[in-house]
């Protein structure tokens, strides 16, 4: 997901029902949580979001869909 799309969506997903589709094809559904930053495997800070008890790095997210 390119950063322009990410920045537009993260302003709207908190406390909304969403589906995250990852780059490996897996999908997760739940209530959108906080927007944050986290370290990737290279030690670089990247954007991330919380869904339930899981954190998803922006580089692992293919698409975010709103379900409500």
């Amino acid at each position: 997901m390119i950063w322009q799309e990410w920045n537009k969506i993260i302003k709207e997903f908190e406390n909304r029902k969403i589906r995250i589709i990852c780059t490996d094809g897996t999908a997760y559904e739940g209530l959108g949580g906080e927007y944050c930053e986290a370290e990737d495997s290279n030690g670089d800070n990247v954007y991330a979001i919380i869904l339930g008890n899981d954190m998803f790095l922006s580089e692992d997210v293919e698409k975010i869909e709103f379900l409500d």
Side-chain angles (χ1 to χ4, degrees), residues 7-60:
N7 284 340
K8 180 181 176 188
I9 289 172
I10 60 169
K11 295 176 184 176
E12 303 174 11
F13 74 86
E14 195 166 344
N15 295 319
R16 291 186 63 187
K17 187 158 174 91
I18 61 172
R19 176 183 298 128
I20 293 176
I21 302 170
C22 294
T23 55
D24 67 1
T26 56
Y28 302 88
E29 291 183 9
L31 285 180
E34 298 176 14
Y35 160 74
C36 57
E37 290 187 14
E39 276 190 17
D40 66 7
S41 59
N42 297 323
D44 296 323
N45 283 346
V46 295
Y47 297 122
I49 58 171
I50 304 294
L51 180 68
N53 293 324
D54 299 311
M55 181 182 335
F56 295 88
L57 302 180
S58 59
E59 62 192 29
D60 297 328

Side-chain angles (χ1 to χ4, degrees), residues 1-10 62-64:
M1 174 171 264
I2 61 172
W3 69 268
Q4 292 96 336
E5 291 173 329
W6 181 268
N7 284 340
K8 180 181 176 188
I9 289 172
I10 60 169
E62 179 74 27
K63 185 176 181 180
I64 297 173

